[in-house]
């Protein structure tokens, strides 16, 4: 049995112990004493810590598989006169080599500059090589989970117009020789633009000139971490002004499926109501998204049959679930509080992310010269919008009396 499965079994055992502890120590009103609450919270923290350790172990396993993979390609003969690099433009090996040479060198050779003409934008930066573009996208998906469950499209031009069915036609019963009823679909249109998101990375001159320094890997990781975090925040909470329109936006965001009876707690019935507020076609690929504190609260809830709603994963590659659907944690989802939208549930493929292809890097030679550093600007243009609000439902807590909700 591998380490990951051992950790999963250990977490499952603690979860069963925690459930038994809750059932045996609640009083007739379902309340724990302060001492019992402290004991249960220790158990719950162990469950959370084991979950994080499982994630770490799975990443280590993935790294180990990668390191054990073959490090070279078999030698094959080439016909006389065949070109080794058949790719052109930003996909060519020449472009990739000279792109990184340009970033390392303060004064690139003319041959380097000439090779990069195809990647020069109007602001003097260089578009990243195609291979690196794909690496960045993969890194962004790892850093920003939302890209894995949303629909990502690419555009090389201006706004992307998306036709959306605003209302649907219906059929009708027809008498003999009767007329067919007219019932047309009506269409609306959404527009995905391109908002600029950027960051600056500083590297010391000594490190930059060290041929052993993996500049490509470092820039990939840092760009992905910074951009991915900011993207994910906007995909949830963005207001559409200078940034994407998020899922939780009051206008253009997900529909409210359930409003809780109280402003400080969520009941099992309300979670079940949220599940069934989503139409059946969208439930097939639906997922729950909430933050860790909300997941902690839902761990204590049972359905009408006395079964806990939250179920831990026992097998590698399978997620934790609530009512059979995957649970994802995001720090950008609000905590349980009056008026907060604490849980989303739905099919997130109806949230579209539009990438304007051509991530750009620029080298700043003089700005940090006095501190012996070189700056690198990295930027991309991206937009995001929910194209069908009914595909995702939100659980919103009751507001305070002062707010009138």
């Amino acid at each position: 049995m591998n380490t990951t499965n051992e950790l999963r079994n250990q977490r499952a055992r603690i979860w069963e112990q925690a459930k038994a502890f809750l059932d045996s120590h609640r009083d007739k009103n379902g309340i724990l004493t302060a001492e019992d609450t402290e004991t249960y919270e220790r158990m719950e923290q162990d469950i959370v810590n084991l979950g994080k350790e499982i994630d770490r172990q799975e990443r280590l396993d993935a790294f180990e598989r990668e390191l054990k993979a073959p490090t070279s390609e078999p030698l094959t003969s080439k016909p006389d006169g065949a070109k080794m690099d058949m790719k052109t433009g930003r996909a060519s090996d020449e472009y990739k080599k000279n792109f990184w040479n340009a970033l390392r060198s303060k004064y690139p050779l003319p041959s380097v500059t000439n090779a990069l003409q195809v990647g020069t934008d109007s602001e003097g930066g260089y578009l990243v090589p195609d291979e690196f573009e794909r690496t960045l996208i993969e890194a962004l998906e790892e850093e920003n989970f939302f890209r894995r469950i949303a629909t990502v499209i690419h555009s090389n031009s201006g706004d992307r117009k998306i036709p959306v069915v605003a209302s649907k036609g219906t059929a009708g019963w027809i008498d003999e020789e009767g007329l067919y009823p007219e019932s047309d679909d009506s269409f609306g249109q959404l527009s995905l633009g391109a908002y600029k998101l950027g960051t600056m990375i500083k590297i010391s001159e000594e490190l930059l000139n060290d041929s052993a320094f993996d500049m490509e890997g470092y820039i990939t990781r840092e760009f992905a971490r910074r951009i991915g975090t900011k993207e994910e925040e906007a995909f949830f909470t963005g207001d559409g002004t200078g940034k994407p329109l998020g899922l939780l936006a009051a206008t253009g965001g997900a529909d409210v499926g359930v409003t809780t009876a109280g402003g400080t707690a969520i009941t099992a019935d309300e979670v079940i109501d949220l599940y069934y507020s989503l139409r059946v076609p969208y439930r097939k690929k639906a997922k729950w998204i909430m933050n860790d504190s909300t997941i902690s609260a839902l761990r204590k809830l049972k359905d009408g049959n006395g079964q806990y709603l939250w179920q831990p994963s026992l097998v590698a590659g399978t997620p934790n679930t609530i009512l059979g659907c995957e649970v994802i944690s995001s720090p950008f989802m609000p905590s349980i509080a009056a008026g907060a939208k604490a849980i989303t549930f739905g099919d997130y493929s109806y949230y579209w992310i539009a990438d304007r292809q051509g991530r750009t890097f620029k080298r700043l030679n003089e700005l940090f010269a006095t501190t012996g550093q070189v700056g690198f600007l990295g930027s991309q243009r991206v937009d995001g919008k929910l194209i069908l609000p009914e595909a995702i439902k939100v659980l919103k807590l009751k507001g305070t009396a002062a707010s009138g909700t």
Side-chain angles (χ1 to χ4, degrees):
M1 180 180 293
N2 62 37
T3 304
T4 303
N5 286 338
E6 290 174 356
L7 291 171
R8 289 180 180 278
N9 290 332
Q10 183 180 351
R11 182 178 64 170
R13 286 195 298 271
I14 296 176
W15 171 237
E16 293 299 325
Q17 293 170 5
K19 290 192 294 185
F21 182 86
L22 278 177
D23 293 341
S24 62
H25 287 74
R26 279 176 167 148
D27 61 22
K28 61 182 181 181
N29 296 318
I31 305 299
L32 294 176
T33 65
E35 183 179 356
D36 289 341
T37 297
E38 185 177 346
T39 301
Y40 173 78
E41 287 177 349
R42 284 199 298 269
M43 292 181 175
E44 189 177 62
Q45 189 58 49
D46 288 340
I47 294 170
V48 172
N49 292 338
L50 282 168
K52 293 178 180 178
E53 183 59 33
I54 289 168
D55 291 339
R56 280 192 291 269
Q57 187 60 45
E58 288 180 340
R59 289 196 296 271
L60 287 174
D61 292 342
F63 291 148
E64 187 172 354
R65 287 194 298 271
E66 183 178 346
L67 290 172
K68 288 181 178 178
T71 58
S72 61
E73 296 293 334
L75 294 176
T76 58
S77 60
K78 297 284 185 181
D80 292 340
K83 293 183 178 180
M84 297 300 291
D85 182 11
M86 304 299 293
K87 298 177 181 178
T88 60
R90 291 192 295 128
S92 69
D93 290 342
E94 180 191 18
Y95 186 89
K96 179 180 179 181
K97 179 183 71 175
N98 286 291
F99 173 85
W100 293 109
N101 286 342
L103 290 191
R104 281 187 179 276
S105 175
K106 184 175 182 180
Y107 301 109
L109 296 172
S111 59
V112 173
T113 305
N114 292 339
L116 294 177
Q117 283 181 353
V118 69
T120 302
D121 70 4
S122 60
E123 298 177 352
Y126 294 120
L127 298 181
V128 300
D130 279 1
E131 294 292 333
F132 189 62
E133 178 96 4
R134 286 193 288 274
T135 303
L136 276 177
I137 291 172
E138 290 171 2
L140 285 175
E141 288 176 348
E142 291 177 5
E143 193 68 33
N144 172 2
F145 79 86
F146 204 90
R147 282 179 169 263
R148 297 196 303 270
I149 60 177
T151 296
V152 181
I153 61 175
H154 303 279
S155 173
N156 292 318
S157 56
D159 290 356
R160 182 74 172 265
K161 306 294 183 182
I162 304 171
V164 179
V165 177
S167 63
K168 299 176 182 178
T170 60
W173 296 106
I174 306 173
D175 293 332
E176 186 176 354
E177 298 182 358
L179 295 175
Y180 282 84
E182 293 185 12
S183 182
D184 296 329
D185 291 346
S186 61
F187 294 87
Q189 191 176 72
L190 291 178
S191 176
L192 286 171
Y195 299 111
K196 193 170 184 178
L197 180 60
T199 184
M200 181 172 65
I201 299 170
K202 291 188 289 186
I203 301 176
S204 70
E205 292 175 346
E206 292 79 7
L207 197 58
L208 193 63
N209 294 327
D210 185 352
S211 61
F213 172 55
D214 181 13
M215 182 174 69
E216 181 177 344
Y218 173 75
I219 288 180
T220 301
R221 289 191 301 273
E222 274 300 293
F223 188 88
R225 181 184 65 81
R226 300 181 189 187
I227 297 295
T229 299
K230 210 63 183 176
E231 273 190 351
E232 186 178 319
E233 181 182 14
F235 296 154
F236 282 105
T237 63
D239 58 8
T241 302
K243 61 176 71 71
L245 186 65
L247 283 178
L248 304 180
T251 302
D255 291 341
V256 175
V258 171
T259 301
T260 63
T264 58
I266 300 171
T267 67
D269 287 347
E270 288 163 346
V271 176
I272 295 171
D273 288 343
L274 180 63
Y275 178 89
Y276 286 104
S277 71
L278 189 70
R279 293 178 56 210
V280 173
Y282 306 120
R283 291 208 297 264
K284 295 176 182 177
K285 297 196 299 181
K287 295 175 174 60
W288 307 89
I289 300 181
M290 62 196 83
N291 70 19
D292 282 344
S293 64
T294 305
I295 293 176
S296 175
L298 264 58
R299 280 200 182 102
K300 305 178 181 71
L301 301 182
K302 293 182 179 181
D303 61 20
N305 297 319
Q307 299 296 318
Y308 283 89
L309 297 183
W310 185 81
Q311 295 297 323
S313 166
L314 298 177
V315 181
T318 60
N320 304 319
T321 63
I322 291 177
L323 301 177
C325 295
E326 180 180 354
V327 182
I328 302 175
S329 175
S330 171
F332 301 111
M333 284 294 293
S335 298
I336 296 175
K341 296 178 177 179
I343 302 174
T344 62
F345 177 66
D347 183 349
Y348 299 90
S349 66
Y350 288 93
Y351 189 95
W352 284 30
I353 299 170
D355 281 332
R356 281 284 295 275
Q357 277 187 322
R359 292 176 173 85
T360 303
F361 282 143
K362 302 172 188 174
R363 174 177 168 134
L364 305 177
N365 290 318
E366 306 299 337
L367 186 60
F368 306 104
T370 56
T371 58
Q373 293 175 305
V374 176
F376 294 93
L377 298 181
S379 66
Q380 69 173 36
R381 300 181 69 189
V382 64
D383 194 8
K385 193 169 293 182
L386 182 60
I387 64 169
L388 198 60
E390 69 174 32
I392 300 173
K393 296 293 184 178
V394 170
L395 182 141
K396 182 178 181 179
L397 279 88
K398 180 182 178 181
T400 60
S403 67
T405 59

